[in-house]
Amino acid sequence: MNLPPCDQVGFVVRDMGASLALYEPLFGPFTTMDPGPMSYHYRGREEECDMKLAFGKSGELEIELIQWVTGGSPHKEFIDAGREGMHHIRFSIESLEETATAAEALGYEAIWEKRYGEGLAVACLELA
């Protein structure tokens, strides 16, 4: 797929405060963000989701902590399945559409997407 090096590792956590206490000794201080509810295209429908976020660094690699609060999302699925921890890796790419099409040919499907504006979009893909 000719992907660049991954630039983020995301962790889904149950408790942001406890997780910051756990991860800050490893990665240094995190910047926290509470963006409030946002609408995403999730498994074929529009779904509002609210999350708490925190961002740290390990060299050039961004470490993202995500605490699901409300709504449908892959993060809620992860928590509901009894999991916590590493959830995703991110690749910053030129064209989401082209890369998603190439990924679909390999058996991946986009399950969670949002276009924030020109040149800024996200998609969570999983093996179908």
Side-chain angles (χ1 to χ4, degrees):
M1 287 183 35
N2 199 28
L3 293 169
C6 73
D7 64 348
Q8 181 191 77
V9 176
F11 295 81
V12 171
V13 302
R14 293 179 191 279
D15 181 309
M16 185 62 75
S19 297
L20 288 170
L22 179 67
Y23 287 109
E24 282 186 329
L26 299 172
F27 301 113
F30 278 69
T31 301
T32 59
M33 183 177 162
D34 190 356
M38 288 192 276
S39 181
Y40 295 88
H41 189 74
Y42 174 57
R43 298 203 182 272
R45 65 187 183 280
E46 288 301 307
E47 180 83 35
E48 192 171 89
C49 178
D50 190 8
M51 302 173 286
K52 293 180 182 179
L53 307 172
F55 301 94
K57 294 287 256 186
S58 179
E60 294 300 310
L61 184 68
E62 183 175 75
I63 308 300
E64 180 184 33
L65 305 180
I66 305 161
Q67 179 185 330
W68 170 82
V69 178
T70 62
S73 76
H75 317 94
K76 180 182 183 328
E77 288 181 21
F78 197 73
I79 291 293
D80 286 350
R83 298 186 302 228
E84 181 175 20
M86 191 175 130
H87 177 261
H88 68 266
I89 56 175
R90 180 184 75 191
F91 300 92
S92 292
I93 53 174
E94 290 295 318
S95 170
L96 179 58
E97 292 76 17
E98 288 177 23
T99 304
T101 298
E104 286 172 9
L106 297 172
Y108 289 88
E109 88 176 289
I111 62 163
W112 194 65
E113 304 169 85
K114 181 165 182 74
R115 179 164 300 284
Y116 293 95
E118 185 62 35
L120 182 57
V122 298
C124 181
L125 283 73
E126 70 178 12
L127 281 172

